[in-house]
Amino acid sequence: MVALSANLGFLFTDRPLPEAILAAKAAGFSAVECHWPYDFDPAEIKAALDATGLPMVGINTLRGDLARGENGLAALSGREEEARAVIRQAVEYAAAIGAANVHVMAGRKGHGAETATFVANLRFAAELAGAHGIGILIEPLNPHDAPDYFLNSIQTARAVIETVGAPNLKIMFDCYHQQRLGGELIGTFLRHKDLIGHVQFASAPDRAEPDHGEVDYAWLLPALRRLGYAGRFGAEYRPVSGSMDWMRMFHAEDGAPAG
């Protein structure tokens, strides 16, 4: 069975986040995840999660100064105090709403990103999150969507995780990003599945509904499940049609949503 999580950073954005959680439940998703929920009191989000019974798979750390084009702080040398402040904020928020993971955003190479800084901040994040039973995720992003992003390959992600050495630090395997980084999704998954903590998906190359494009998700997601991935699959796409008909690809045999 393919269990689906709605990424509310892209889906149901025409309404406040608590209402988006309710909409995800109504659409048939079995979990939610989001980007930056910090404009909302965590009690509001927790109430919506409790009302629907949906778990929150994860949230992101803040990106920094958007006017300067920042896209994360954790790898930026000289910005350690700010990086740890947003990590602390994210972990505390995640703990308050019962989120399973925090995605720690690395930042851009041109803003002073360094491996040693990233490693040190991830050790801090993993220890802090581990005290709450929360996982830390890092995500390789492709240069088309995230120019100059420090973490731009799954091989680098693996090397960083092995250096940090924390059991709750894993890879966010976004099929869309991995397809744009070179494809070979099954082989890449198999080489790194021991470190994969969450899987996301969207059509490639347009990042829209996952019912067209270069990747056959009706085949791929069940295949990843058969290969040992036991988590949810995060639908992180930018809606074009607004239809949820693509979810029919993953319906159970009895016709009920598999999410």
Side-chain angles (χ1 to χ4, degrees):
M1 181 176 287
V2 173
L4 302 173
S5 172
N7 191 295
L8 304 180
F10 290 160
L11 302 183
F12 309 112
T13 58
D14 59 337
R15 63 204 79 190
L17 185 56
E19 294 180 21
I21 293 170
L22 303 182
K25 174 68 173 182
F29 289 95
S30 69
V32 291
E33 55 200 68
C34 60
H35 293 159
W36 304 284
Y38 306 106
D39 288 340
F40 295 90
D41 188 313
E44 289 185 78
I45 305 306
K46 183 67 162 58
L49 295 172
D50 289 345
T52 58
L54 299 182
M56 179 69 76
V57 175
I59 63 176
N60 292 354
T61 57
L62 287 174
R63 291 175 287 178
D65 187 347
L66 300 185
R68 296 184 59 228
E70 292 184 343
N71 199 16
L73 300 170
L76 305 189
S77 180
R79 305 283 294 280
E80 290 84 354
E81 186 175 339
E82 295 168 77
R84 296 189 182 198
V86 299
I87 289 169
R88 190 176 294 106
Q89 174 194 34
V91 169
E92 290 174 356
Y93 198 103
I97 66 172
N101 299 288
V102 167
H103 168 210
V104 174
M105 301 196 68
R108 299 177 68 171
K109 291 181 282 187
H111 291 170
E114 294 183 1
T115 300
T117 303
F118 197 32
V119 166
N121 284 331
L122 287 174
R123 283 186 176 137
F124 170 83
E127 182 176 358
L128 189 66
H132 299 279
I134 294 170
I136 295 295
L137 299 173
I138 56 174
E139 180 181 13
L141 304 181
N142 78 77
H144 307 283
D145 292 83
D148 196 43
Y149 194 66
F150 175 74
L151 189 62
N152 59 9
S153 78
I154 197 168
Q155 294 83 4
T156 300
R158 182 177 196 94
V160 165
I161 289 172
E162 290 175 345
T163 300
V164 172
N168 62 329
L169 175 59
K170 303 289 185 182
I171 294 169
M172 182 111 76
F173 186 91
D174 188 313
C175 298
Y176 163 77
H177 284 293
Q178 289 303 317
Q179 178 67 13
R180 299 214 67 176
L181 283 167
E184 198 201 353
L185 297 180
I186 288 290
T188 304
F189 174 86
L190 285 172
R191 286 190 291 275
H192 302 284
K193 74 173 186 175
D194 59 315
L195 294 180
I196 292 173
H198 185 45
V199 173
Q200 295 178 327
F201 65 104
S203 66
D206 61 357
R207 207 176 191 182
E209 283 82 0
D211 56 1
H212 65 279
E214 299 170 353
V215 181
D216 178 4
Y217 286 111
W219 173 82
L220 179 66
L221 300 192
L224 296 183
R225 176 72 76 210
R226 290 191 296 271
L227 290 170
Y229 177 69
R232 290 179 170 85
F233 294 92
E236 190 188 39
Y237 66 89
R238 300 183 187 277
V240 174
S241 71
S243 171
M244 291 290 170
D245 287 350
W246 63 267
M247 294 177 71
R248 295 176 184 172
M249 295 187 293
F250 306 112
H251 280 200
E253 290 182 1
D254 64 1

